[in-house]
Structures are given as structure tokens and as C-alpha cells.
Coordinates of all heavy atoms in Angstrom, one line a residue:
A28 N -38.4 27.4 -88.1 CA -37.3 27.9 -88.9 C -37.5 27.5 -90.4 O -36.8 28.1 -91.2 CB -36.0 27.5 -88.4
V29 N -38.2 26.5 -90.7 CA -38.3 26.0 -92.1 C -38.8 27.0 -93.0 O -38.5 27.1 -94.1 CB -39.2 24.6 -92.0 CG1 -39.5 24.2 -93.4 CG2 -38.5 23.6 -91.2
N30 N -39.8 28.0 -92.4 CA -40.2 29.0 -93.3 C -39.1 29.9 -94.0 O -39.5 30.7 -94.9 CB -41.3 29.8 -92.6 CG -40.8 30.8 -91.7 OD1 -39.9 30.5 -91.0 ND2 -41.4 31.9 -91.6
Q31 N -38.0 29.9 -93.3 CA -36.9 30.7 -93.9 C -35.9 29.8 -94.8 O -35.0 30.3 -95.3 CB -36.1 31.4 -92.8 CG -37.1 32.4 -92.1 CD -36.2 33.2 -91.1 OE1 -35.4 32.7 -90.5 NE2 -36.6 34.5 -90.9
G32 N -36.3 28.6 -94.9 CA -35.4 27.7 -95.8 C -34.3 27.0 -95.0 O -33.8 27.7 -94.1
V33 N -34.1 25.8 -95.3 CA -33.1 25.0 -94.6 C -31.8 25.6 -94.8 O -30.9 25.6 -93.8 CB -33.1 23.5 -95.1 CG1 -32.0 22.7 -94.5 CG2 -34.5 22.9 -94.8
G34 N -31.3 26.1 -95.9 CA -30.2 26.5 -96.2 C -29.8 27.8 -95.3 O -28.6 27.9 -94.7
F35 N -30.8 28.7 -95.2 CA -30.5 29.9 -94.3 C -30.3 29.6 -92.9 O -29.6 30.0 -92.1 CB -31.7 30.9 -94.5 CG -31.6 31.9 -93.5 CD1 -30.8 33.0 -93.5 CD2 -32.5 31.9 -92.4 CE1 -30.6 33.9 -92.5 CE2 -32.4 32.8 -91.3 CZ -31.5 33.9 -91.4
V36 N -31.3 28.6 -92.4 CA -31.3 28.2 -91.0 C -30.0 27.5 -90.7 O -29.3 27.8 -89.7 CB -32.4 27.3 -90.8 CG1 -32.2 26.7 -89.4 CG2 -33.7 28.1 -90.9
K37 N -29.4 26.7 -91.6 CA -28.1 26.1 -91.3 C -27.0 27.0 -91.2 O -26.1 27.1 -90.3 CB -27.7 25.1 -92.4 CG -28.4 23.7 -92.3 CD -28.0 22.9 -93.4 CE -28.6 21.5 -93.4 NZ -28.1 20.7 -94.5
E38 N -27.2 28.1 -92.1 CA -26.0 29.2 -91.9 C -26.2 30.0 -90.8 O -25.3 30.3 -90.0 CB -26.2 30.1 -93.3 CG -25.2 31.1 -93.3 CD -25.4 32.0 -94.6 OE1 -25.6 31.4 -95.7 OE2 -25.4 33.2 -94.5
A39 N -27.3 30.4 -90.4 CA -27.7 31.1 -89.2 C -27.3 30.5 -88.0 O -26.8 31.0 -87.0 CB -29.2 31.6 -89.2
L40 N -27.6 29.2 -87.9 CA -27.2 28.4 -86.7 C -25.7 28.4 -86.6 O -25.1 28.5 -85.5 CB -27.7 26.9 -86.8 CG -29.2 26.7 -86.6 CD1 -29.7 25.3 -86.9 CD2 -29.5 27.1 -85.1
A41 N -25.0 28.1 -87.7 CA -23.5 28.3 -87.7 C -22.9 29.6 -87.2 O -22.1 29.8 -86.4 CB -22.9 27.8 -89.0
Q42 N -23.6 30.7 -87.7 CA -23.1 32.0 -87.3 C -23.4 32.4 -85.9 O -22.6 33.0 -85.2 CB -23.8 33.0 -88.2 CG -23.4 33.1 -89.6 CD -24.1 34.2 -90.4 OE1 -24.8 35.2 -89.9 NE2 -24.0 34.0 -91.7
A43 N -24.5 31.8 -85.4 CA -24.9 32.1 -84.0 C -24.0 31.3 -83.0 O -24.0 31.6 -81.9 CB -26.4 31.7 -83.8
G44 N -23.4 30.2 -83.4 CA -22.5 29.5 -82.5 C -23.2 29.0 -81.3 O -22.6 29.0 -80.2
G45 N -24.5 28.6 -81.4 CA -25.2 28.1 -80.2 C -25.9 29.1 -79.3 O -26.5 28.9 -78.3
D46 N -25.8 30.3 -79.7 CA -26.3 31.5 -79.0 C -27.8 31.7 -79.5 O -28.0 32.2 -80.6 CB -25.6 32.8 -79.2 CG -26.0 33.8 -78.4 OD1 -27.2 34.1 -78.1 OD2 -25.2 34.9 -78.1
L47 N -28.7 31.4 -78.7 CA -30.2 31.5 -79.2 C -30.6 32.9 -79.6 O -31.2 33.1 -80.5 CB -31.1 30.9 -78.0 CG -32.6 31.0 -78.3 CD1 -33.0 30.3 -79.6 CD2 -33.4 30.7 -77.1
R48 N -30.2 33.8 -78.7 CA -30.5 35.2 -78.9 C -29.9 35.7 -80.3 O -30.6 36.3 -81.1 CB -30.2 36.2 -77.9 CG -30.9 36.0 -76.6 CD -30.4 36.9 -75.6 NE -30.8 36.6 -74.3 CZ -31.9 37.1 -73.7 NH1 -32.6 38.1 -74.3 NH2 -32.4 36.8 -72.5
R49 N -28.7 35.4 -80.6 CA -28.1 35.7 -81.9 C -28.9 35.0 -83.0 O -29.0 35.6 -84.1 CB -26.5 35.3 -81.9 CG -25.9 35.4 -83.1 CD -25.7 37.1 -83.3 NE -25.0 37.1 -84.6 CZ -25.4 38.1 -85.5 NH1 -26.3 38.9 -85.3 NH2 -24.7 38.1 -86.6
F50 N -29.2 33.8 -82.9 CA -29.9 33.0 -83.9 C -31.2 33.7 -84.1 O -31.6 34.0 -85.3 CB -30.2 31.6 -83.5 CG -31.0 30.9 -84.4 CD1 -30.6 30.6 -85.8 CD2 -32.2 30.4 -84.1 CE1 -31.4 29.8 -86.5 CE2 -33.0 29.6 -84.9 CZ -32.5 29.3 -86.2
L51 N -31.9 34.2 -83.2 CA -33.2 34.8 -83.3 C -33.0 36.2 -83.9 O -33.8 36.6 -84.8 CB -33.9 34.9 -82.0 CG -34.4 33.7 -81.4 CD1 -35.0 33.8 -80.1 CD2 -35.3 32.8 -82.3
D52 N -31.9 36.9 -83.6 CA -31.7 38.1 -84.3 C -31.4 38.0 -85.8 O -31.8 38.8 -86.5 CB -30.4 38.8 -83.6 CG -30.7 39.4 -82.2 OD1 -31.9 39.5 -81.8 OD2 -29.6 39.6 -81.5
L53 N -30.6 37.0 -86.0 CA -30.4 36.7 -87.5 C -31.7 36.4 -88.2 O -32.0 36.9 -89.3 CB -29.4 35.6 -87.6 CG -27.9 35.8 -87.2 CD1 -27.1 34.5 -87.2 CD2 -27.3 36.8 -88.2
R54 N -32.6 35.7 -87.6 CA -33.8 35.3 -88.3 C -34.7 36.8 -88.4 O -35.3 37.0 -89.4 CB -34.6 34.4 -87.4 CG -34.1 33.0 -87.6 CD -34.9 32.0 -86.9 NE -36.3 31.9 -87.6 CZ -37.2 31.2 -87.1 NH1 -37.2 30.6 -86.0 NH2 -38.3 31.3 -87.8
A55 N -34.6 37.6 -87.3 CA -35.4 38.7 -87.4 C -34.8 39.7 -88.5 O -35.5 40.4 -89.3 CB -35.2 39.5 -86.1
Q56 N -33.5 39.7 -88.7 CA -32.8 40.5 -89.8 C -33.3 39.9 -91.1 O -33.4 40.7 -92.0 CB -31.3 40.4 -89.6 CG -30.7 41.2 -88.5 CD -29.4 40.9 -88.2 OE1 -28.6 40.4 -89.1 NE2 -28.8 41.2 -87.1
R57 N -33.4 38.6 -91.3 CA -33.9 38.0 -92.5 C -35.3 38.5 -92.8 O -35.5 38.9 -94.0 CB -33.8 36.5 -92.3 CG -34.3 35.8 -93.5 CD -33.5 35.7 -94.7 NE -34.0 34.6 -95.6 CZ -33.3 34.0 -96.4 NH1 -32.0 34.3 -96.6 NH2 -33.9 33.1 -97.2
Y58 N -36.2 38.5 -91.8 CA -37.5 39.0 -92.2 C -37.5 40.3 -92.5 O -38.1 40.9 -93.4 CB -38.5 38.8 -90.9 CG -38.7 37.4 -90.5 CD1 -38.6 36.9 -89.3 CD2 -39.2 36.5 -91.5 CE1 -39.0 35.6 -88.9 CE2 -39.6 35.2 -91.2 CZ -39.5 34.7 -89.9 OH -39.8 33.5 -89.6
A59 N -36.7 41.3 -92.0 CA -36.6 42.7 -92.2 C -36.1 42.8 -93.7 O -36.6 43.7 -94.3 CB -35.7 43.4 -91.2
S60 N -35.1 42.1 -94.0 CA -34.7 42.2 -95.4 C -35.6 41.8 -96.4 O -35.7 42.4 -97.4 CB -33.4 41.5 -95.7 OG -33.5 40.0 -95.7
I61 N -36.6 40.8 -96.1 CA -37.6 40.4 -97.0 C -38.6 41.6 -97.2 O -38.9 41.9 -98.4 CB -38.4 39.1 -96.4 CG1 -37.4 37.9 -96.5 CG2 -39.7 38.9 -97.2 CD1 -38.0 36.7 -95.7
I62 N -39.0 42.2 -96.1 CA -39.9 43.4 -96.1 C -39.2 44.6 -96.9 O -39.9 45.2 -97.8 CB -40.4 43.8 -94.8 CG1 -41.2 42.6 -94.2 CG2 -41.1 45.1 -94.8 CD1 -41.4 42.8 -92.7
Q63 N -37.9 44.8 -96.7 CA -37.2 45.8 -97.3 C -37.3 45.6 -98.9 O -37.4 46.5 -99.7 CB -35.7 46.0 -96.9 CG -35.0 47.2 -97.4 CD -33.7 47.3 -96.8 OE1 -33.2 46.4 -96.2 NE2 -33.0 48.3 -97.2
R64 N -37.0 44.3 -99.3 CA -37.0 44.1 -100.7 C -38.5 44.1 -101.3 O -38.6 44.5 -102.6 CB -36.4 42.7 -101.0 CG -34.9 42.6 -100.9 CD -34.3 41.3 -101.4 NE -35.0 40.1 -101.0 CZ -34.7 39.4 -99.9 NH1 -33.8 39.8 -99.0 NH2 -35.4 38.3 -99.6
N65 N -39.4 43.8 -100.6 CA -40.8 43.6 -101.1 C -41.7 44.2 -100.0 O -42.2 43.4 -99.1 CB -41.1 42.2 -101.4 CG -42.5 42.1 -102.0 OD1 -43.3 43.1 -102.1 ND2 -42.9 40.9 -102.5
P66 N -42.1 45.5 -99.9 CA -42.9 46.0 -98.9 C -44.3 45.4 -98.7 O -44.8 45.5 -97.7 CB -43.0 47.5 -99.3 CG -41.8 47.8 -100.1 CD -41.6 46.4 -100.8
E67 N -44.7 44.7 -99.8 CA -46.0 44.1 -99.6 C -45.9 43.0 -98.5 O -47.0 42.5 -98.1 CB -46.5 43.5 -100.9 CG -46.8 44.5 -102.0 CD -47.2 44.0 -103.3 OE1 -47.6 42.8 -103.4 OE2 -47.4 44.8 -104.2
M68 N -44.7 42.4 -98.3 CA -44.7 41.4 -97.3 C -44.8 41.9 -95.9 O -44.9 41.0 -95.0 CB -43.3 40.6 -97.5 CG -43.1 40.0 -98.8 SD -44.2 38.8 -99.3 CE -43.6 37.4 -98.4
A69 N -44.9 43.1 -95.8 CA -45.0 43.7 -94.4 C -46.3 43.2 -93.6 O -46.4 43.3 -92.4 CB -45.0 45.3 -94.5
K70 N -47.3 42.8 -94.5 CA -48.5 42.3 -93.9 C -48.3 40.9 -93.0 O -49.1 40.7 -92.2 CB -49.5 41.9 -95.0 CG -49.1 40.9 -95.9 CD -50.2 40.8 -97.1 CE -49.6 39.8 -98.2 NZ -50.5 39.9 -99.4
F71 N -47.1 40.4 -93.2 CA -46.8 39.1 -92.5 C -45.9 39.5 -91.2 O -45.6 38.6 -90.5 CB -46.1 38.2 -93.4 CG -46.9 37.7 -94.5 CD1 -46.5 38.1 -95.8 CD2 -48.1 36.9 -94.3 CE1 -47.2 37.7 -96.9 CE2 -48.7 36.6 -95.4 CZ -48.4 37.0 -96.7
Q72 N -45.5 40.8 -91.1 CA -44.5 41.1 -90.1 C -44.9 40.6 -88.7 O -44.1 40.1 -88.0 CB -44.2 42.7 -90.2 CG -43.1 43.0 -89.2 CD -42.8 44.4 -89.3 OE1 -43.4 45.2 -90.1 NE2 -41.8 44.9 -88.7
R73 N -46.1 41.0 -88.3 CA -46.5 40.7 -86.9 C -46.5 39.1 -86.6 O -46.2 38.8 -85.6 CB -47.9 41.3 -86.6 CG -48.4 41.1 -85.2 CD -47.4 41.8 -84.2 NE -47.6 41.4 -82.9 CZ -46.6 41.0 -82.0 NH1 -45.4 41.0 -82.2 NH2 -47.0 40.4 -80.8
G74 N -47.0 38.4 -87.7 CA -47.0 37.0 -87.5 C -45.5 36.5 -87.4 O -45.2 35.6 -86.5
W75 N -44.7 37.0 -88.1 CA -43.2 36.6 -88.0 C -42.7 37.0 -86.6 O -42.0 36.3 -86.0 CB -42.4 37.3 -89.1 CG -42.8 36.7 -90.5 CD1 -43.3 35.6 -90.8 CD2 -42.4 37.4 -91.7 NE1 -43.4 35.4 -92.2 CE2 -42.9 36.6 -92.7 CE3 -41.8 38.6 -92.0 CZ2 -42.7 36.9 -94.1 CZ3 -41.7 39.0 -93.4 CH2 -42.2 38.1 -94.4
E76 N -42.9 38.2 -86.1 CA -42.5 38.6 -84.8 C -43.0 37.7 -83.7 O -42.3 37.3 -82.9 CB -43.0 40.0 -84.6 CG -42.2 41.1 -85.3 CD -42.9 42.4 -85.2 OE1 -44.0 42.5 -84.7 OE2 -42.3 43.4 -85.8
K77 N -44.3 37.3 -83.8 CA -44.9 36.3 -82.9 C -44.2 35.0 -83.0 O -43.9 34.3 -81.9 CB -46.4 36.1 -83.2 CG -47.3 37.2 -82.7 CD -48.7 36.9 -83.0 CE -49.7 37.6 -82.1 NZ -51.0 37.2 -82.4
R78 N -43.8 34.5 -84.0 CA -43.2 33.3 -84.3 C -41.8 33.4 -83.5 O -41.4 32.4 -82.7 CB -42.8 33.0 -85.6 CG -42.2 31.7 -86.1 CD -42.1 31.6 -87.5 NE -43.4 31.5 -88.1 CZ -43.8 30.7 -89.0 NH1 -43.0 29.8 -89.6 NH2 -45.0 30.9 -89.6
L79 N -41.0 34.5 -83.6 CA -39.8 34.6 -83.1 C -39.9 34.8 -81.4 O -39.2 34.3 -80.7 CB -39.1 35.8 -83.5 CG -38.6 35.7 -85.0 CD1 -37.8 37.0 -85.4 CD2 -37.6 34.6 -85.3
E80 N -41.0 35.5 -81.0 CA -41.2 35.7 -79.6 C -41.4 34.4 -78.8 O -41.0 34.2 -77.7 CB -42.5 36.6 -79.4 CG -42.1 38.1 -79.7 CD -43.5 38.8 -79.8 OE1 -44.6 38.4 -79.5 OE2 -43.4 40.1 -80.2
Q81 N -42.0 33.4 -79.7 CA -42.2 32.1 -78.9 C -40.9 31.5 -78.4 O -41.0 30.7 -77.5 CB -42.9 31.1 -79.9 CG -44.3 31.5 -80.2 CD -44.8 30.5 -81.3 OE1 -44.3 29.4 -81.6 NE2 -45.9 30.9 -82.0
F82 N -39.8 31.8 -79.0 CA -38.5 31.2 -78.7 C -37.6 32.1 -77.9 O -36.5 31.7 -77.6 CB -37.9 30.7 -80.0 CG -38.6 29.8 -80.7 CD1 -39.4 30.1 -81.8 CD2 -38.6 28.5 -80.3 CE1 -40.1 29.1 -82.5 CE2 -39.4 27.5 -81.0 CZ -40.1 27.9 -82.1
Q83 N -38.1 33.2 -77.5 CA -37.3 34.1 -76.7 C -37.1 33.5 -75.3 O -38.0 32.8 -74.9 CB -37.9 35.6 -76.5 CG -37.9 36.4 -77.7 CD -36.5 36.8 -78.2 OE1 -35.6 36.9 -77.3 NE2 -36.4 36.9 -79.4
P84 N -35.9 33.7 -74.7 CA -35.7 33.1 -73.3 C -36.8 33.4 -72.3 O -37.0 32.5 -71.4 CB -34.4 33.7 -72.9 CG -33.7 33.8 -74.1 CD -34.8 34.3 -75.1
Q85 N -37.5 34.5 -72.5 CA -38.6 34.8 -71.6 C -40.0 34.2 -72.0 O -40.9 34.3 -71.5 CB -38.8 36.3 -71.2 CG -39.3 37.0 -72.5 CD -38.1 37.6 -73.5 OE1 -37.1 37.0 -73.4 NE2 -38.6 38.4 -74.4
G86 N -39.8 33.4 -73.1 CA -41.0 32.8 -73.8 C -41.6 31.7 -72.9 O -41.1 31.4 -71.8
P87 N -42.6 30.9 -73.4 CA -43.3 29.9 -72.7 C -42.4 28.8 -72.1 O -42.6 28.2 -71.1 CB -44.3 29.4 -73.6 CG -43.8 29.9 -75.0 CD -43.0 31.0 -74.7
W88 N -41.1 28.6 -72.7 CA -40.3 27.4 -72.2 C -39.3 27.9 -71.3 O -38.3 27.2 -71.0 CB -39.8 26.6 -73.4 CG -39.0 27.4 -74.3 CD1 -39.5 28.1 -75.4 CD2 -37.7 27.7 -74.3 NE1 -38.5 28.8 -76.1 CE2 -37.3 28.6 -75.4 CE3 -36.6 27.3 -73.5 CZ2 -36.0 29.1 -75.8 CZ3 -35.3 27.8 -73.9 CH2 -35.1 28.6 -74.9
A89 N -39.2 29.2 -70.9 CA -38.0 29.8 -70.2 C -37.6 29.1 -68.9 O -36.5 29.0 -68.6 CB -38.3 31.3 -69.9
K90 N -38.6 28.5 -68.3 CA -38.3 27.8 -67.0 C -38.2 26.4 -67.1 O -37.8 25.7 -66.2 CB -39.4 28.1 -66.0 CG -39.6 29.6 -65.6 CD -40.7 29.9 -64.7 CE -40.7 31.4 -64.4 NZ -41.8 31.7 -63.5
Y91 N -38.1 25.9 -68.4 CA -38.0 24.4 -68.6 C -36.6 24.1 -68.3 O -35.6 24.7 -68.8 CB -38.5 24.1 -70.1 CG -38.1 22.7 -70.5 CD1 -39.0 21.6 -69.9 CD2 -37.1 22.3 -71.2 CE1 -38.8 20.3 -70.2 CE2 -37.0 21.0 -71.5 CZ -37.8 20.0 -71.1 OH -37.5 18.7 -71.4
R92 N -36.4 23.1 -67.6 CA -35.0 22.6 -67.3 C -34.7 21.2 -67.7 O -33.6 20.6 -67.4 CB -34.7 22.6 -65.8 CG -34.9 24.1 -65.3 CD -33.7 25.0 -65.7 NE -33.8 26.3 -65.3 CZ -34.0 27.3 -66.0 NH1 -34.2 27.3 -67.2 NH2 -34.1 28.5 -65.4
G93 N -35.6 20.7 -68.7 CA -35.5 19.3 -69.2 C -35.2 18.3 -68.3 O -34.7 17.3 -68.4

């Protein structure tokens, strides 16, 4: 989350209220707004998507129960 800045991440965590899916949606929206403002950033889109996919509940840690 650091690549989106500590300030944004703190705000997104607060907005998400502990809901992981909501937090990831907010991050995805942030990436989309970056591309909308600067279409040249679209070259990073797939990498950003992969980053978010790693944390989806069906991702590699989905069965982890700590």
C-alpha cells in the first residue's frame, strides 16, 4: 500500500472500516483515477492489478487461519 502513499492508505483503511474487499476497491479506484488523469500511466495497470489480486480473499493466503 505504500506505493499509494501513507496518507491515502490511512484514509482508505478508515473508509473501509476493516472490510478488506472495500479497501481493495478503494485502492483500485485510486489506480483508475491515476490513469484517467495521466493515460501514460496505463502501462502500469496490469502490475497494479496483480498487486491487488495478491490480497483478494481467494488469493494465496485465503485458507490461512493464523
Side-chain angles (χ1 to χ4, degrees):
V29 174
N30 76 322
Q31 291 184 326
V33 174
F35 170 78
V36 172
K37 284 183 177 180
E38 183 179 315
L40 284 169
Q42 286 180 20
D46 182 334
L47 175 62
R48 289 179 194 265
R49 177 71 180 131
F50 175 66
L51 295 175
D52 286 345
L53 290 168
R54 290 187 64 194
Q56 290 171 19
R57 171 80 167 202
Y58 289 134
S60 73
I61 290 170
I62 293 169
Q63 186 176 8
R64 284 192 316 269
N65 184 356
E67 290 182 16
M68 300 300 282
K70 62 186 172 189
F71 300 112
Q72 184 174 4
R73 184 63 194 132
W75 291 340
E76 290 169 353
K77 284 180 154 184
R78 184 178 300 222
L79 295 177
E80 287 169 5
Q81 292 177 17
F82 297 102
Q83 291 293 331
Q85 72 273 13
W88 58 272
K90 295 181 182 179
Y91 177 73
R92 298 291 178 246

